[in-house]
Amino acid sequence: MNNLLVTGGCGFIGTNFIRYLLSLAESGGKQGFSGRIINVDKLTYAGNPDNLSDMEARYPGRYHFVHADICDLPAMEKIIDDFSIDAICHFAAESHVDRSIVAPDAFVQTNVIGTFHLLELARKNSKRIERFHHISTDEVFGSLGEQGFFTEKTPYDPSSPYSASKAGSDHLVRAYRRTYDLPVTLSNCSNNYGPYQFPEKLIPLMILNAVAGQSLPVYGDGRNVRDWLYVEDHCRAIWQVMTAGRFGETYNVGGRCEMQNIDVVEKMCDIIDRKIPDKKIGSRRQLITFVKDRPGHDRRYAIDCAKIEKELRWQPQESFDTGLEKTIDWYLQNKAWVQRVQSGEYQQWMDQQYGGR
Ligand code: NAD
Ligand code: TYD
């Protein structure tokens, strides 16, 4: 892998992945990456070029940003030719379930059609492309009851337009392996949290609202369960799959960290009260407001990650307590980043949809 195309690198996980990979090279470990990264991003509301603005200067010749839409086939073909792309790590997606419920079109376009275009280009350049790694989600499996875990063999049963579009893209990636022998791998991961996550997802939204003394909207009864993973653990897993994963295989990635939403929110309230007590706000737990449930809200996600643990010797390194402390500190220390993402298109969209929730 000399010329790695990363799609959606200006989003939450893509940013963390690029930072992780380039810092690995710096530390010179045997798992390092010595090639260059070409980050292609459309810069939707969720893509933030500020996230990686220091990379070109810090890693001269090792990092390039190209503003493009993965659905634009001629533009993507030119990028793949111009940079002699020989590996692809595909993050670009519309990623928020709530948005997919009110406006599913972009989800089908980017997640299904965009992935299809990339696969077609990989097929066309199959002599050069060594690996196509597709990043996916545990949400493709639908909802669990109180018992059991998602394994790589769990049948797909998506509930939202987001998860259905990701399921569609996963099927296409597997079909390109079976039909055209493309060197693909897939990873299906549970809920991530950490720095650079757009404040529409549960954890950053709650941090920022709690700091500001605003309402903390918990959907339904707050007892839905998610399996949380610190984003850098996910990035290590992706790189492990990209360097040692078997072609055609899927690897489930999770934190073995099941939490009910209400417990996550209460924990965050307590940490923020401790870090920045505010007499006017009082206990942040008082800000919790139970609101109307999300339609089709999956009750429980939990990943069985035995395959990646055994086969690739990957394990999460961060506990939820340490990861959450780090994440809250990051949001407290990066006020300029927060202000920029809160001031733009995102805010207008949220105001239109939720009346400035
Ligand atoms: P994100 O929304 O933060 O970032 C998505 C990025 O893709 C943005 O930079 C955006 O500008 C870019 N993008 C969107 N449409 C594009 C297009 N047509 N062309 C080029 N770029 C485009 O998402 P994220 O949370 O970083 O998720 C990244 C990937 O990981 C997604 O495929 C998602 O399904 C998957 N995933 C996310 C989680 C999670 O908890 N966030 C968990 C498992 C899997
Ligand atoms: P989210 O971060 O949107 O991730 P996903 O829907 O992909 O799991 O939501 C995580 C959980 O938190 C999910 O059960 C929905 C719930 N939730 C709330 O209760 N309130 C909120 O404001 C948000 C954004 C999510």
Side-chain angles (χ1 to χ4, degrees):
M1 287 185 249
N2 292 315
N3 297 305
L4 172 62
L5 171 66
V6 173
T7 68
C10 294
F12 163 49
I13 306 175
T15 290
N16 281 284
F17 179 74
I18 290 172
R19 289 189 164 275
Y20 166 77
L21 205 51
L22 291 172
S23 73
L24 252 192
E26 227 171 25
S27 65
K30 70 174 167 53
Q31 285 260 292
F33 168 72
S34 54
R36 63 178 175 165
I37 292 176
I38 295 84
N39 171 17
V40 170
D41 199 299
K42 181 182 172 184
L43 301 180
T44 68
Y45 76 94
N48 187 343
D50 297 354
N51 294 356
L52 295 162
S53 55
D54 54 331
M55 290 290 102
E56 287 188 22
R58 205 158 138 195
Y59 302 101
R62 305 276 323 281
Y63 173 76
H64 299 270
F65 172 65
V66 186
H67 184 200
D69 183 341
I70 58 164
C71 298
D72 182 344
L73 194 59
M76 292 309 298
E77 182 155 29
K78 185 166 177 347
I79 292 164
I80 286 176
D81 287 347
D82 286 355
F83 289 95
S84 296
I85 296 299
D86 53 22
I88 298 174
C89 184
H90 177 35
F91 292 92
E94 289 291 336
S95 69
H96 190 40
V97 174
D98 292 330
R99 282 174 189 260
S100 83
I101 293 168
V102 290
D105 315 41
F107 288 74
V108 177
Q109 275 304 321
T110 288
N111 301 1
V112 183
I113 308 293
T115 303
F116 165 64
H117 284 169
L118 289 176
L119 287 164
E120 274 294 277
L121 291 172
R123 177 161 85 96
K124 202 169 164 191
N125 290 280
S126 60
K127 288 210 174 75
R128 200 174 59 224
I129 301 286
E130 291 171 25
R131 183 176 298 261
F132 185 115
H133 182 67
H134 178 64
I135 316 293
S136 194
T137 164
D138 60 355
E139 302 194 25
V140 296
F141 299 120
S143 187
L144 288 165
E146 297 212 339
Q147 305 291 317
F149 297 92
F150 298 133
T151 73
E152 288 79 359
K153 294 198 167 74
T154 303
Y156 278 27
D157 187 19
S159 303
S160 69
Y162 163 64
S163 51
S165 66
K166 291 297 291 187
S169 65
D170 291 12
H171 288 318
L172 280 169
V173 173
R174 283 201 194 90
Y176 271 65
R177 173 67 185 169
R178 291 189 200 158
T179 309
Y180 306 113
D181 209 23
L182 211 70
V184 308
T185 39
L186 297 91
S187 49
N188 290 75
C189 188
S190 63
N191 287 63
N192 284 213
Y193 67 101
Y196 300 103
Q197 188 168 29
F198 199 81
E200 62 184 351
K201 307 278 165 58
L202 180 74
I203 289 188
L205 178 80
M206 295 294 165
I207 295 172
L208 299 184
N209 283 13
V211 169
Q214 288 168 2
S215 155
L216 306 177
V218 172
Y219 299 164
D221 65 0
R223 304 265 166 226
N224 300 65
V225 172
R226 297 292 182 265
D227 174 355
W228 292 98
L229 182 72
Y230 190 65
V231 64
E232 197 170 310
D233 281 324
H234 185 194
C235 294
R236 276 193 306 106
I238 292 167
W239 188 234
Q240 203 86 328
V241 175
M242 288 193 70
T243 49
R246 287 179 292 135
F247 293 134
E249 292 292 317
T250 295
Y251 296 86
N252 277 2
V253 183
R256 293 195 187 277
C257 174
E258 286 182 58
M259 303 269 297
Q260 292 188 344
N261 292 337
I262 187 66
D263 295 333
V264 172
V265 176
E266 286 183 352
K267 198 183 242 304
M268 284 192 287
C269 287
D270 297 347
I271 298 175
I272 293 166
D273 283 347
R274 169 165 54 77
K275 286 187 189 288
I276 39 166
D278 186 316
K279 282 208 185 95
K280 263 199 253 151
I281 298 172
S283 160
R284 262 84 174 190
R285 286 188 184 214
Q286 293 172 61
L287 301 170
I288 295 173
T289 312
F290 290 94
V291 299
K292 194 166 171 277
D293 208 355
R294 172 190 278 174
H297 194 178
D298 287 333
R299 191 65 175 168
R300 175 172 166 257
Y301 300 147
I303 284 267
D304 176 350
C305 47
K307 177 173 171 180
I308 190 168
E309 283 175 347
K310 284 198 192 107
E311 205 176 289
L312 304 182
R313 296 184 202 292
W314 171 89
Q315 271 194 331
Q317 287 177 359
E318 205 72 53
S319 72
F320 192 62
D321 284 345
T322 58
L324 199 56
E325 286 271 345
K326 279 189 186 177
T327 304
I328 290 173
D329 286 343
W330 190 88
Y331 281 91
L332 294 179
Q333 285 158 13
N334 287 275
K335 293 205 171 71
W337 184 92
V338 169
Q339 266 161 12
R340 288 240 322 153
V341 300
Q342 282 186 326
S343 66
E345 194 190 328
Y346 159 72
Q347 198 57 49
Q348 287 161 20
W349 191 90
M350 288 291 281
D351 288 350
Q352 277 165 12
Q353 297 302 322
Y354 301 109
R357 183 171 76 189

